[in-house]
Amino acid sequence: MQEIGYEVVWPLGKMASEKVTLVPRITDLKNKTICELSDYGFRAEEIFPILRASLAGQYPGIKFIDYTNFGNTHGPREDEIVATLPEKLRQYGCDAVISGVGG
Amino acid sequence: MTTDRFHLRVLNPTGGAEGQPLIPNAPRLKNLNGKKIGIFRNRVPVGQIFYPYLDKALKSRMPGAEFRTWEMSVLADADARAAKLREVADNSDGVIVAMGMSGGSTTRTAPDAIRIEKSGKPVAFIVTKCFRSNARFLARSEGLEDLAVAPMILDYVPPEEEIEKLDIAGKVADEVVTALTQWTAQPPDIAEVTEASLDFSSKDFSTAQEEMERFFLNHGWSDGLPLVPPTEEAVDRMLEGASLPRDHIIARFPPGGMNATVEKIAVNAVMAGCLPQYMPVILGAVEAITDPLFDLIGVQCTSGQVAPFFIVSGKELIEELNINDSFCAVGPGWKANAAMGRALKLIMMNLGQTWPGMNDMKAFGSPFRYLCLIGENEAAYSGAWEPLRVAEGFSVDQPTISVMPAMSWQPDLVLPTPPSVERIISHISLQAKVKYDRYALNCMYNNLVLISPTAFEAIRREGFSRKGIQEILYEKIELPGREVFDGREGPLLNRLPKRLVEKYQKDPSAAVPLLLNPESLKICIAGGPGPDMIAYIGTWGYGPSHFVTKPINVPGNWKSLLARYRGWESPTIK
């Protein structure tokens, strides 16, 4: 019996973005500067204050840069705002970022 | 020298010829002098403008004829209609039937012309240009050789000044004279294929399948996407999912009038990529859409953008068949939902014999017409509500399939989160008021609301029952009568429930409900959790199409069937 074969072509594309290794986590948040980024949605105005209060109770000296200093990272000016982030994070002396809220 | 060829034998997915010879058209009249010409006309809105011009033109073209006019709504009771048509035929030498000016009006009025012609009286059927093929197709599906159409020169009835300027009525009257005196039947627009099976031969399977696909597409048997060849073996496997005999007729399928046998349904299910265990759902769905309450002929042929929207209710069956009831349930990309929906579309095309532009006359069509089938997310009720099938009068142990004549798709995010029931009600009623059918209103039939699991949490927390929510929505979904009824006179106003018309006439500023009653609004929890979503699915409303629910009955070999054909579940990220 004759064996018939059909070759097919892989339907997926190659991943366009480069893989990036995660930066090391901070072992202790004491005296660290935490920048907040927000999409201004999904109750960010309630959730960020709760986070601040909770973390401040656990980590003396922790400092927060309110998300309103950066603008809405998922709004009509998203591209422009995201482009300014590296510089702004440097200016504020950022040690870590909390970004949210996904909903 | 011999060359090896690959032979692909597949079954015909259409009903094929039913074996009944076509009735020849009535002899035409030699001349119109002294003849009694009946005019049977429907009450389409443009008729008020056009009929006076038509009457005048007919009298000028047929000065020796004696005219008598009968009038009836396209939605009149069938018995009253039959009696009226007999009266018209008995009292006329020739009949003018007017008029088709949309998919719906053509589909509902052409059968009147066909019935009179079958009784032996020559008929001229007046129709706007683009609906000619629809009218002629209906003649053959009703067993008549052809239908003499008297088409307008335009696709629509223009304003009065243009009717006069272009002599629209005069040209139609000329066509009427020809139709009654000189016309002869013509062959159908698309050639019929009566063979039970078809052979495609080529150098290999792949090219034989291409030949099959091209043939199916050229004959209007394809939705344009690749088809699985309905070989006899594949159809036999599909029939393992049906307990009924293969020649059992589930329904006569409108508008083509072909018999939807279990075998023909299975052929189309194979083509759509279904598994044998999907057959009970498909058979239930066919029963639902062919129930007279769904008005399938209207849904198939209307100019309105309506599509059947299917909901499977039955937790165990949904799990067994891997029907998506969660994220992206409405689409796309889920084997069971996509294949069953597609099978139903192919069944509607191939057994109903519909084709865009020929007799499926939707102006835009609808993405739902591919078609859409979802599962009810029963787990999300958390026992707070009975599932849809129970609300529709079935036992909790009886899986069902419901079909909604869906015209609109209006998803909305309820904010702020977490929402109160008051906010959910407000969003649903807002959507209902945005899209109510301006022609027939939504107040005569059913509408559907999908609520996401997270939004339902608010309803559960606040302790509202299904009936309670329906009653509140009935109260809230209302508009001032003036806004709804202004500009609607005569036939348009007469289509609506008398109580609403009387309320409006008494006080035009008084609010009138846009729903028939609380129970007419169907509610189903579906989709995935996350933000609080609702979706309002407004009805069609041009024809008497209702939300219909039918049982899904699995065959005795169910468990072994599931075991035999497992492994086709769409991947779920846990």
Side-chain angles (χ1 to χ4, degrees):
Chain A
M1 187 180 156
Q2 189 189 351
E3 195 170 294
I4 301 171
Y6 291 97
E7 287 189 2
V8 296
V9 180
W10 189 52
L12 305 185
K14 283 188 178 167
M15 190 61 75
S17 53
E18 283 178 28
K19 276 190 179 174
V20 177
T21 312
L22 289 174
V23 294
R25 306 291 92 183
I26 298 167
T27 51
D28 188 352
L29 294 177
K30 274 184 208 164
N31 301 315
K32 293 290 189 280
T33 299
I34 310 297
C35 290
E36 300 169 352
L37 300 178
S38 173
D39 54 2
Y40 286 48
F42 299 104
R43 302 167 72 187
E45 72 285 4
E46 294 173 50
I47 290 168
F48 275 109
I50 294 168
L51 281 175
R52 281 175 217 143
S54 172
L55 292 171
Q58 296 172 61
Y59 302 102
I62 191 169
K63 182 181 159 194
F64 295 95
I65 309 298
D66 188 297
Y67 61 83
T68 55
N69 289 292
F70 299 94
N72 184 348
T73 54
H74 191 43
R77 293 173 53 231
E78 177 179 333
D79 287 352
E80 188 188 322
I81 286 168
V82 170
T84 66
L85 283 181
E87 181 55 31
K88 278 194 168 179
L89 293 174
R90 264 194 297 277
Q91 282 175 9
Y92 286 113
C94 176
D95 295 304
V97 167
I98 301 172
S99 181
V101 178
Chain B
M1 183 181 138
T2 57
T3 309
D4 287 340
R5 302 281 292 174
F6 187 90
H7 294 276
L8 179 62
R9 171 170 282 196
V10 296
L11 300 187
N12 185 336
T14 70
E18 295 301 320
Q20 298 291 332
L22 292 169
I23 296 170
N25 288 85
R28 305 340 265 180
L29 300 170
K30 287 196 173 64
N31 66 67
L32 299 168
N33 284 333
K35 296 293 188 296
K36 289 190 282 186
I37 303 299
I39 301 174
F40 182 73
R41 58 196 195 191
N42 54 24
R43 294 177 180 145
V44 289
V46 291
Q48 288 176 307
I49 301 168
F50 185 64
Y51 290 153
Y53 288 98
L54 181 64
D55 287 345
K56 199 174 156 191
L58 290 171
K59 281 173 187 161
S60 79
R61 299 306 196 273
M62 297 180 247
E66 180 192 327
F67 292 96
R68 182 176 167 191
T69 300
W70 288 265
E71 208 168 82
M72 193 168 234
S73 159
V74 291
L75 297 177
D77 167 74
D79 290 341
R81 185 167 215 88
K84 181 87 82 177
L85 292 172
R86 271 197 303 276
E87 186 187 328
V88 175
D90 290 347
N91 290 282
S92 309
D93 296 312
V95 179
I96 300 161
V97 176
M99 61 177 288
M101 43 68 67
S102 64
S105 60
T106 303
T107 303
R108 294 188 204 281
T109 310
D112 298 338
I114 293 159
R115 189 180 288 200
I116 295 170
E117 180 94 22
K118 277 176 159 179
S119 76
K121 298 293 167 69
V123 171
F125 180 55
I126 298 176
V127 65
T128 49
K129 192 172 72 176
C130 60
F131 297 103
R132 281 180 303 184
S133 58
N134 189 4
R136 290 190 59 223
F137 168 83
L138 285 162
R140 288 185 81 84
S141 71
E142 294 290 331
L144 183 68
E145 193 172 356
D146 199 357
L147 182 62
V149 292
M152 278 191 189
I153 57 168
L154 297 178
D155 293 324
Y156 60 96
V157 179
E160 291 191 62
E161 57 271 23
E162 212 165 312
I163 293 175
E164 287 180 24
K165 190 177 158 193
L166 299 174
D167 189 24
I168 302 276
K171 284 169 183 159
V172 168
D174 290 338
E175 295 278 2
V176 166
V177 172
T178 305
L180 292 178
T181 60
Q182 297 167 32
W183 174 86
T184 52
Q186 300 297 310
D189 291 329
I190 292 185
E192 289 164 8
V193 178
T194 55
E195 289 86 353
S197 64
L198 301 142
D199 287 294
F200 298 92
S201 168
S202 193
K203 61 183 168 69
D204 56 24
F205 170 76
S206 178
T207 47
Q209 186 179 10
E210 278 178 22
E211 290 298 316
M212 182 209 88
E213 295 237 26
R214 185 159 44 197
F215 184 91
F216 276 38
L217 184 68
N218 292 161
H219 286 78
W221 300 348
S222 166
D223 55 5
L225 299 171
L227 298 166
V228 176
T231 60
E232 199 163 345
E233 296 76 16
V235 172
D236 285 347
R237 280 197 299 276
M238 191 60 63
L239 287 166
E240 291 173 30
S243 51
L244 294 163
R246 64 196 302 155
D247 59 352
H248 178 85
I249 297 169
I250 301 288
R252 183 175 184 269
F253 231 92
M258 291 183 168
N259 285 332
T261 61
V262 172
E263 182 186 73
K264 291 293 181 185
I265 291 167
V267 170
N268 283 278
V270 169
M271 287 160 62
C274 287
L275 300 173
Q277 59 265 43
Y278 298 168
M279 273 297 276
V281 178
I282 295 166
L283 292 170
V286 169
E287 281 192 43
I289 56 176
T290 53
D291 187 310
L293 278 174
F294 188 67
D295 185 29
L296 182 58
I297 192 164
V299 171
Q300 293 263 63
C301 301
T302 177
S303 294
Q305 324 316 311
V306 61
F309 182 96
F310 295 97
I311 303 172
V312 175
S313 176
K315 195 167 182 291
E316 192 179 343
L317 185 77
I318 286 170
E319 284 169 9
E320 287 170 336
L321 295 184
N322 189 234
I323 296 172
N324 190 352
D325 60 1
S326 184
F327 297 106
C328 296
V330 174
W334 208 264
K335 169 81 175 173
N337 304 47
M340 285 192 278
R342 186 185 185 206
L344 290 161
K345 171 61 188 162
L346 291 173
I347 288 165
M348 284 171 62
M349 280 174 59
N350 293 334
L351 300 179
Q353 291 281 280
T354 53
W355 190 252
M358 185 177 80
N359 55 4
D360 185 351
M361 306 305 283
K362 285 150 196 68
F364 304 122
S366 164
F368 277 171
R369 283 183 69 79
Y370 272 98
L371 299 167
C372 188
L373 180 146
I374 67 168
E376 178 183 33
N377 191 336
E378 195 166 332
Y381 289 115
S382 303
W385 281 16
E386 74 285 9
L388 184 63
R389 60 188 179 282
V390 175
E392 293 301 302
F394 291 85
S395 83
V396 74
D397 300 323
Q398 173 64 65
T400 60
I401 182 152
S402 299
V403 61
M404 166 74 196
M407 181 81 134
S408 70
W409 168 244
Q410 299 161 253
D412 200 358
L413 169 64
V414 185
L415 290 172
T417 54
S420 61
V421 169
E422 192 183 353
R423 293 295 299 174
I424 293 170
I425 294 285
S426 147
H427 277 64
I428 294 171
S429 53
L430 187 68
Q431 291 297 339
K433 291 176 202 176
V434 167
K435 171 63 189 81
Y436 62 90
D437 174 42
R438 269 69 175 171
Y439 182 53
L441 303 190
N442 289 356
C443 55
M444 285 149 62
Y445 309 112
N446 302 108
N447 294 274
L448 172 66
V449 176
L450 302 183
I451 298 178
S452 74
T454 312
F456 182 73
E457 278 298 292
I459 295 172
R460 192 183 60 76
R461 272 195 305 270
E462 294 190 37
F464 284 88
S465 66
R466 182 190 292 272
K467 192 164 177 284
I469 294 290
Q470 286 170 317
E471 283 171 353
I472 297 169
L473 283 166
Y474 176 71
E475 296 288 326
K476 296 280 182 190
I477 300 175
E478 59 177 19
L479 282 171
R482 182 180 289 118
E483 204 172 309
V484 178
F485 293 126
D486 268 7
R488 303 170 60 91
E489 289 167 1
L492 278 177
L493 210 53
N494 291 338
R495 287 170 64 106
L496 302 173
K498 207 172 167 190
R499 64 190 168 85
L500 298 187
V501 177
E502 285 173 353
K503 191 174 182 186
Y504 161 64
Q505 286 169 338
K506 198 171 164 191
D507 177 8
S509 63
V512 293
L514 294 177
L515 300 180
L516 178 65
N517 52 43
E519 311 82 66
S520 71
L521 182 68
K522 307 298 179 182
I523 305 175
C524 176
I525 310 308
D532 305 276
M533 297 286 182
I534 61 104
Y536 191 82
I537 300 179
T539 195
W540 162 50
Y542 303 2
S545 184
H546 299 80
F547 186 89
V548 175
T549 300
K550 296 287 180 186
I552 297 170
N553 296 310
V554 300
N557 62 347
W558 186 238
K559 293 295 176 193
S560 63
L561 191 71
L562 292 173
R564 197 150 59 245
Y565 295 105
R566 69 182 167 205
W568 288 91
E569 296 77 24
S570 294
T572 308
I573 307 297
K574 300 286 183 191

